[in-house]
Structure formats: C-alpha cells, structure tokens
Amino acid sequence: MARLEVHQFPSRSDNYGVLVHDKATGATAAIDAPDAEELLAALHEKGWKLTHILTTHHHNDHTAGNAAVKRATGCTIVGPAKEAESIPGIDVTVREGDRVEIGGATARVIETPGHTRGHVSYHFPDDELVFVGDTLFSVGCGRLLEGDAKTMWSSLEKLAKLPPETTLYCGHEYTDANCRFALTVEPENHALQARAKVVAKLAERGAPALPTTIKQELDSNPFLRPSSPAIQKRLGMEGRPLNEIFGEIRRRKDQF
Ligand code: ZN
Ligand code: FE
C-alpha cells in the first residue's frame, strides 16, 4: 500500500534534496543531506519532523548536512556499510537486501556501486519509489569515480529490472545537457527526441525534469540501452558485451 508523500527541493548548486513522509506515523526520511540549512528549511515548510537520513554515498554534496541536521533533529543516519568510515554521524549500516523501516513504509537496500565503491539505492516497493543518488540520472548516469564500467553496468541492470512504473529520484539534475549528449548516441530514438523537447521547455522556465520513471529511462536513457541495435551500430560495437558498450557510452560522455 502506498503511503509516502515525497517532497523534492533544489539544494546547493545542482543537487536535489528529497524528503519522504509517512502520514500515518509522522516518520520522515531525507534522502541524503546536501545542505543542513536548506534541509531544515524544507522540513519547517512542510511541518515534518525528521526521523532518518538515508545516505546513498559518502560524497560531500550528499553528506555535508549530516552533523548539523542530526544535532537539530536527533535523526538516525543510515548509510552503506562499505563506506561507513567516510559518512559523518552514521548510526546504522546497510548492505544489499537489508530493509529500513520509515514509520509504516519499508525501503529495500540495493547496492549500486560504480560512482563510489559502496553506493546504495533505496527502493520502496509498496510505494513504487526508488532513490538512486548519483548512480542513474535522468537521461544520464553517474561518473565512474570509484568503479569500472562492468561494476556500474551491473548496478544499472539491477535498477533496470525494477517495475517500469517505479518513480525514480536522483541526486542531481542535468537532464537538458544529458539529452543533447544522448541524441549524439541514438539520434533515431523517437522517445528520446520527444523527451528532449519536453525537457528543453522545462529547462527554459527553470522547472525540474525530475522525478522520472524506470520506464521513461529504459526508453530514452542511452546508458540503459547498450542493447539497442542503433546504438551498437553507431558505436561500431555490434554484438559486443553490454558492459563494454555501456563503458564506451560513458567514455564518450566524459569527453562530450
Ligand atoms: Zn556523488
Ligand atoms: Fe553528487
């Protein structure tokens, strides 16, 4: 049964903060804490009391607010066991398959390494929500800072298998620029062409193109589409292993 209300707000220069709130119990979780002041202001605006921070990975733009938010709210900080030593204030460490209760709602932990070596995503199956941090972006994916293409591709495959109607929230918004790159990889993709038009209009008025859905990403995100014959042909990689094709798309994006 769906029970969570979600509030997304811009934070820092290009991060998003996200709050999830269980009306029945009042429990509220922040996905990461990019900035303490902005997070506390969002809580105040909604009239919600923070009970948890669900950390996706250790980068400063996702954990900078941890200490001050914990001091202000007494919340419990949950984060990946594999990078616990670099997450300020962490109370509870999680691994693949672990469950985290936010009031009456349950998140399942999916390990999604690649951007960082311990990165995790939080999937709320009953609410059809997934929070993927810097693993998958709308029409893009995170940089391979602490993992190789094979590792990241395994992570993306896990996300790609979630129910297509799942709503997906990411740590950053680069959708407009991502569309311009994606169109160089798969210009003949009609779903991508349509999406790029919608996104350009949203960007013009500074409106977010997030959240997205698993289905929308499967249809238009080149990083989830190394099996596309058109992409394979364009890259001259017909029939090659999908993780290698993914790696080539990532390499091209790094140089775009
Ligand atoms: Zn990051
Ligand atoms: Fe980030």
Side-chain angles (χ1 to χ4, degrees):
M1 187 188 64
R3 38 191 311 150
L4 291 174
E5 187 181 328
V6 184
H7 175 61
Q8 174 183 265
F9 56 96
S11 194
R12 301 175 71 107
S13 55
D14 63 14
N15 282 77
Y16 276 117
V18 186
L19 297 172
V20 299
H21 176 71
D22 177 36
K23 275 161 266 179
T25 63
T28 303
I31 314 304
D32 291 328
D35 179 88
E37 261 180 51
E38 289 167 339
L39 180 45
L40 294 171
L43 285 161
H44 183 75
E45 181 197 322
K46 299 299 286 183
W48 296 345
K49 189 184 167 317
L50 194 71
T51 52
H52 298 80
I53 295 172
L54 301 180
T55 306
T56 61
H57 66 296
H58 68 84
H59 285 158
N60 186 57
D61 62 309
H62 298 257
T63 58
N66 279 19
V69 170
K70 189 173 175 176
R71 260 198 315 276
T73 64
C75 69
T76 298
I77 300 182
V78 178
K82 287 176 183 165
E83 43 194 59
E85 67 289 341
S86 30
I87 296 171
I90 192 165
D91 299 296
V92 177
T93 61
V94 290
R95 294 176 183 277
E96 177 79 20
D98 283 352
R99 279 161 201 284
V100 185
E101 310 285 327
I102 306 298
T106 303
R108 195 173 54 89
V109 175
I110 307 175
E111 290 185 344
T112 50
H115 177 67
T116 63
R117 72 185 175 85
H119 194 297
V120 297
S121 297
Y122 297 92
H123 178 217
F124 292 80
D126 295 342
D127 291 80
E128 302 181 320
L129 295 170
V130 67
F131 300 92
V132 303
D134 290 0
T135 299
L136 184 63
F137 294 130
S138 131
V139 205
C141 86
R143 282 176 179 271
L144 306 183
L145 299 178
E146 299 176 13
D148 57 13
K150 201 170 182 181
T151 304
M152 184 59 125
W153 175 244
S154 310
S155 297
L156 294 180
E157 278 189 306
K158 289 188 198 174
L159 298 177
K161 281 180 196 142
L162 296 177
E165 62 277 14
T166 306
T167 299
L168 185 143
Y169 287 84
C170 328
H172 300 267
E173 164 92 67
Y174 309 117
T175 316
D176 195 26
N178 287 348
C179 283
R180 272 177 261 133
F181 168 74
L183 283 166
T184 69
V185 177
E186 197 178 19
E188 53 279 273
N189 180 332
H190 294 295
L192 173 60
Q193 291 165 5
R195 182 114 194 262
K197 275 187 200 142
V198 172
V199 166
K201 284 215 179 89
L202 289 170
E204 245 169 56
R205 41 184 182 91
L210 288 170
T212 175
T213 63
I214 294 289
K215 172 161 175 36
Q216 187 162 243
E217 294 314 307
L218 288 172
D219 289 346
S220 59
N221 187 330
F223 294 99
L224 292 182
R225 298 176 55 77
S227 61
S228 151
I231 290 183
Q232 294 193 1
K233 189 160 180 232
R234 183 159 302 270
L235 302 184
M237 296 182 76
E238 286 104 327
R240 298 280 290 280
L242 297 182
N243 70 70
E244 285 180 21
I245 300 168
F246 162 76
E248 175 60 18
I249 301 170
R250 185 59 260 182
R251 197 187 60 75
R252 290 188 181 212
K253 178 68 165 48
D254 287 341
Q255 291 164 0
F256 184 67

